Amino acid sequence: KTKKGDVMFQTVRQTARFLNVPEHLIRAHVSQGVCPSMYSGNRFLVHVEALREYLDAESRKRKETTA
């Protein structure tokens, strides 16, 4: 099993499973430029830790706003 700190880039599907979020959410954030991503050959890869940090920060902002 992979630890969170060991993962750098993964496919959209792998990232969605790893972070337990929908694939379309990841694709939306990538298209908005929120999350670093790249092509490796014909595979599109997402920077997992950067996306996780962004989602955590957004979650904290929402909690502060509603509190």
Side-chain angles (χ1 to χ4, degrees):
K1 185 120 183 172
T2 308
K3 296 178 189 172
K4 285 189 180 184
D6 294 341
V7 179
M8 191 166 197
F9 285 91
Q10 290 190 349
T11 65
V12 171
R13 180 166 288 151
Q14 290 169 329
T15 303
R17 287 182 184 152
F18 188 72
L19 298 177
N20 196 30
V21 297
E23 288 182 38
H24 73 271
L25 178 71
I26 296 170
R27 292 181 199 284
H29 286 311
V30 167
S31 69
Q32 293 168 4
V34 170
C35 177
S37 57
M38 65 178 195
Y39 276 98
S40 177
N42 65 345
R43 297 183 72 152
F44 187 74
L45 303 174
V46 177
H47 192 285
V48 178
E49 195 60 25
L51 180 59
R52 186 192 63 77
E53 288 175 9
Y54 172 79
L55 294 174
D56 285 348
E58 286 299 304
S59 177
R60 283 193 297 276
K61 282 184 198 175
R62 287 202 173 110
K63 286 179 184 175
E64 291 172 2
T65 307
T66 58

